[in-house]
Amino acid sequence: MFLKKKWLVMLAVITAVLLLGACGGKDAGGGDPLVGGSGPQDGSPADFMPLSEGFEKYSVWIQTDENPVRDSNVNKVFVFKKGKVTAYKLEDTAIEEIHDLSDDELVQLASDFTDKTLDELADQINGTSISAAIKERHDESFKDIYLEVDGSERSPLSSKYTLDITLDELGQNTESITLGIPDAYYQLGEFIQGSFTDYYAYSTDPNYSKASGAKDVYTEELKRLEEYGRFEDSSNPPAPDSYVPDPIEWETTDEELTFTRGMVKQTIFGTTFSGIATDRTSLLTRVDDSFVGFRLDSPDTKSKNVTIEGK
């Protein structure tokens, strides 16, 4: 009886050792397949697609919530083609409204929204009292100097992008990847907000100029006007009608998204989306149901668009 118990104890110890060894072997030399480790682990699919390859294979991507559902808003649309990307902003459009659109239809929707937003901004600025007054005082050849934002001058921005890898603490595996897009969006250069009503009143109405605090308001208004233009009149104070504002031109701003460990895959109304999460959002593309998922590129990737910590 004693020997039987002893063998049972030894058998339990041997079993525990084998189980611990199996668990340890699972992690040894592994690495997370979603973040570009040295290889897939037991129980993990071997065919996760590197993000750089995904951008070459799948053209249209959307930015939305980290955990998307049917009413998650699509914030931006990215179109990747031959190492370049075109970015569009989008608002008040839920996934359930775009899930069954073709790629061309989705891109057209985002493009139309972007153009409409920029046109509305241009109209808003052109409608300020400063620009309206300038246009009234100058001849036809000078009317558009205040705001050079004609829609025909805004061609879609297509930029070369980079996927920059940040290594982990050991300098061996990928911790995160940052998608960098220079000149991604249009924006307007600095311009005068509001009107120069107070300056005009101070310069032309003696009663107003004598009012308490009027001089301080005039001084601030004059300083602001001179920051964004010039007076052709050299008198003091300069005549309001001589003010010529600097032209306002379209400028560009960059985009940067940093992807971390989270792979995202979700099926909404029968459409399967897959991608990678950032800290608060995700970048997704439409895939077949059988598609396994994406992972971050490993440091040994051969993609031309991938850099490692800026190099």
Side-chain angles (χ1 to χ4, degrees):
M1 188 69 178
F2 174 77
L3 290 175
K4 187 176 181 181
K5 289 183 178 180
K6 183 177 180 180
W7 275 108
L8 286 174
V9 171
M10 289 180 65
L11 180 62
V13 171
I14 291 171
T15 302
V17 169
L18 290 174
L19 288 174
L20 288 173
C23 293
K26 211 171 187 180
D27 291 332
D32 191 336
L34 302 186
V35 296
S38 60
Q41 301 168 13
D42 294 342
S44 297
D47 51 352
F48 281 90
M49 182 179 291
L51 193 57
S52 63
E53 184 180 339
F55 288 159
E56 294 177 4
K57 205 160 191 176
Y58 297 90
S59 176
V60 180
W61 295 65
I62 62 172
Q63 184 183 28
T64 185
D65 297 342
E66 183 179 2
N67 299 304
V69 292
R70 59 182 290 183
D71 60 352
S72 294
N73 279 330
V74 178
N75 305 315
K76 295 168 186 173
V77 175
F78 298 89
V79 182
F80 292 86
K81 187 176 182 180
K82 295 181 179 179
K84 292 187 175 182
V85 60
T86 302
Y88 303 93
K89 293 184 179 180
L90 193 60
E91 292 179 3
D92 301 324
T93 302
I95 289 180
E96 62 185 351
E97 299 175 66
I98 61 93
H99 75 95
D100 58 350
L101 296 181
S102 68
D103 282 353
D104 288 342
E105 289 172 333
L106 177 56
V107 173
Q108 189 62 55
L109 176 69
S111 178
D112 290 344
F113 175 84
T114 299
D115 286 342
K116 178 184 176 184
T117 301
L118 294 176
D119 288 341
E120 288 176 350
L121 179 58
D123 290 341
Q124 177 184 347
I125 296 170
N126 270 324
T128 63
S129 60
I130 292 180
S131 57
I134 292 296
K135 288 183 177 182
E136 288 177 5
R137 288 196 299 274
H138 294 278
D139 61 26
E140 201 67 31
S141 63
F142 194 70
K143 283 186 177 181
D144 294 330
I145 192 173
Y146 184 66
L147 188 58
E148 298 175 355
V149 291
D150 181 56
S152 62
E153 298 176 4
R154 295 193 320 263
S155 58
L157 292 168
S158 182
S159 305
K160 289 185 177 180
Y161 65 90
T162 58
L163 284 168
D164 189 50
I165 292 175
T166 297
L167 299 175
D168 61 13
E169 293 180 351
L170 300 179
Q172 297 178 5
N173 296 315
T174 298
E175 181 175 276
S176 65
I177 282 185
T178 298
L179 170 64
I181 308 174
D183 303 323
Y185 309 105
Y186 283 109
Q187 65 179 13
L188 284 174
E190 291 187 359
F191 55 90
I192 304 173
Q193 300 281 358
S195 69
F196 58 168
T197 304
D198 290 319
Y199 176 80
Y200 187 86
Y202 184 92
S203 304
T204 58
D205 185 348
N207 292 326
Y208 182 87
S209 62
K210 295 176 182 177
S212 175
K215 187 173 182 178
D216 292 338
V217 173
Y218 154 78
T219 301
E220 288 300 316
E221 192 98 338
L222 178 61
K223 186 188 302 182
R224 189 165 63 97
L225 290 170
E226 289 177 334
E227 183 179 353
Y228 296 100
R230 71 184 191 280
F231 287 93
E232 294 178 331
D233 179 27
S234 58
S235 60
N236 188 16
D241 290 348
S242 71
Y243 183 67
V244 179
D246 296 331
I248 299 176
E249 299 177 348
W250 288 112
E251 298 177 351
T252 58
T253 184
D254 303 338
E255 173 71 274
E256 188 174 277
L257 295 173
T258 298
F259 304 103
T260 51
R261 293 178 177 268
M263 186 200 76
V264 179
K265 188 175 181 182
Q266 186 68 279
T267 299
I268 300 173
F269 286 119
T271 300
T272 301
F273 296 88
S274 183
I276 299 286
T278 69
D279 290 340
R280 298 182 180 179
T281 65
S282 61
L283 195 64
L284 309 176
T285 190
R286 289 174 289 196
V287 297
D288 293 334
D289 292 344
S290 59
F291 184 78
V292 176
F294 295 99
R295 66 172 174 84
L296 302 186
D297 287 69
S298 60
D300 60 358
T301 183
K302 302 301 181 184
S303 175
K304 295 180 180 178
N305 292 77
V306 177
T307 58
I308 299 178
E309 297 186 346
K311 300 177 183 179

